[in-house]
Amino acid sequence: MNKPIGIFDSGIGGLTVVKQLRRFLPEEQLIYFGDTARIPYGTRSRKLVQQYAKEDARFLLQFDIKMLVVACNTASSYAIPLLKDMLDIPVVGVVAPGARAAVDITQNRRIGVIGTTATINSEAYVQEISHLMPEARVFGQPCPLLVSLVEEGWINDQVTVLTLQKYLQPLLKEEVDTLILGCTHYPVLEETIRRVIGTGIRLIDSGKETARVVRKVLEEKHLLNRSRGRAEDRFYVSDSPDKFKKVGSRFLGQTLDKVETVDFEAFLVGLNAAQFSE
Ligand code: DGL
């Protein structure tokens, strides 16, 4: 089916998921919305994240998308059931695919999860893993400083290594054999994390697992784009595109030339007016 896939995140981080979607689904057009005006989501309450997620989804629905991918771990942790109820297209978040991959790979059934404070507090990964493997022990560790360090470009910096050592120490003590990178930004730190934890622990990139699941869902529902050629991906942000372009190119591994800024406030006013008159 020749319709785009909609994908949203709180900002730039979701581009790590775009990178994987492009790898697994090179024939599909992606329409990305990064809510750069309201980032971070990872420090917000459940209620606010749910509201933002609904609004982000409504923005993407304007493009007649055939599927919604929630790239943001925080939004996936709080809003997937709600979005599934709200929409009549398939909705895929990053938590369930990451949890599934961890369960498939762990040997000692001791799984670590790192993410934003909201993601860890939500216990979304714990619930998903417990559902798949009730005997598994899950150890969550919020790592709120990592988002800023990655956006600053301090990938191999000593400050980042020390921060990772401090955050990961409790998980190493628990002898986890699998570690879920439960935040959009963390795949960028994969090598640095590896330096800190050594070679014995398996790392799960939730974004990569999500791209596999998206492909599978599209196949099962006969929604893959079979037509020749594909329209260009489109990127929208709710605040100035400058940082998004600069930092985003690093996340995506490719330059980002065309990024459009949306007047999201005006969009929300229109949305509320339309709902009021219904
Ligand atoms: N995209 C968010 C996540 O994956 C990280 C950035 C934020 O806190 O908004 O949880």
Side-chain angles (χ1 to χ4, degrees):
M1 189 197 257
N2 199 6
K3 282 185 183 181
I5 297 173
I7 166 166
F8 79 81
D9 177 52
S10 55
I12 306 168
L15 293 173
T16 57
V17 183
V18 168
K19 186 176 173 187
Q20 298 298 339
L21 287 169
R22 282 182 167 175
R23 229 180 102 201
F24 284 86
L25 292 147
E27 65 283 12
E28 299 294 334
Q29 184 198 11
L30 307 175
I31 303 213
Y32 183 94
F33 175 63
D35 192 6
T36 49
R38 303 190 294 188
I39 193 175
Y41 284 12
T43 52
R44 315 261 184 212
S45 66
R46 172 186 297 269
K47 192 164 166 252
L48 209 51
V49 173
Q50 288 182 336
Q51 181 199 318
Y52 289 175
K54 276 199 279 186
E55 291 165 353
D56 299 346
R58 291 223 190 274
F59 174 75
L60 287 168
L61 284 181
Q62 301 176 105
F63 299 94
D64 195 20
I65 54 174
K66 62 183 171 187
M67 178 188 241
L68 178 69
V69 178
V70 181
C72 179
N73 277 260
T74 307
S76 296
S77 297
Y78 282 134
I80 292 296
L82 185 145
L83 293 172
K84 282 189 171 167
D85 277 355
M86 181 179 119
L87 305 177
D88 52 14
I89 51 172
V91 176
V92 177
V94 286
V95 172
R100 158 59 67 192
V103 163
D104 287 345
I105 223 166
T106 181
Q107 300 279 317
N108 71 359
R109 297 167 186 191
R110 299 174 77 80
I111 299 169
V113 186
I114 53 175
T116 63
T117 305
T119 295
I120 300 304
N121 284 349
S122 76
E123 301 219 318
Y125 276 102
V126 180
Q127 283 160 16
E128 200 66 41
I129 292 169
S130 306
H131 175 70
L132 297 168
M133 185 183 258
E135 67 281 21
R137 299 278 314 273
V138 185
F139 304 92
Q141 174 66 51
C143 304
L145 294 176
L146 296 185
V147 166
S148 307
L149 291 172
V150 172
E151 292 194 6
E152 202 58 33
W154 293 5
I155 309 305
N156 286 308
D157 195 279
Q158 199 52 23
V159 172
T160 308
V161 172
L162 289 173
T163 308
L164 280 168
Q165 277 168 349
K166 183 140 185 148
Y167 281 145
L168 298 177
Q169 200 56 39
L171 301 180
L172 296 176
K173 260 204 198 132
E174 294 295 351
E175 299 187 337
V176 300
D177 75 348
T178 305
L179 178 63
I180 301 177
L181 307 181
C183 174
T184 46
H185 291 56
Y186 301 172
V188 179
L189 288 175
E190 196 169 325
E191 274 177 34
T192 320
I193 292 175
R194 189 49 83 206
R195 261 174 73 195
V196 171
I197 64 173
T199 49
I201 298 175
R202 314 292 288 267
L203 292 180
I204 304 291
D205 174 346
S206 289
K208 192 190 288 176
E209 301 308 324
T210 301
R212 284 189 223 277
V213 170
V214 169
R215 168 140 217 125
K216 196 161 154 258
V217 173
L218 289 178
E219 261 163 18
E220 282 168 6
K221 298 197 179 286
H222 308 288
L223 289 174
L224 282 170
N225 180 18
R226 301 272 178 217
S227 61
R228 273 188 192 195
R230 91 197 225 304
E232 233 186 294
D233 292 342
R234 289 167 72 175
F235 296 91
Y236 294 91
V237 288
S238 51
D239 197 7
S240 155
D242 300 344
K243 183 175 175 196
F244 185 88
K245 279 189 190 166
K246 189 164 155 247
V247 180
S249 307
R250 215 164 45 227
F251 281 44
L252 201 55
Q254 239 173 312
T255 44
L256 261 173
D257 311 313
K258 267 181 32 201
V259 179
E260 293 168 58
T261 308
V262 182
D263 186 344
F264 206 59
E265 232 170 273
F267 167 73
L268 292 178
V269 170
L271 194 65
N272 289 335
Q275 273 167 351
F276 195 65
S277 65
E278 265 172 17

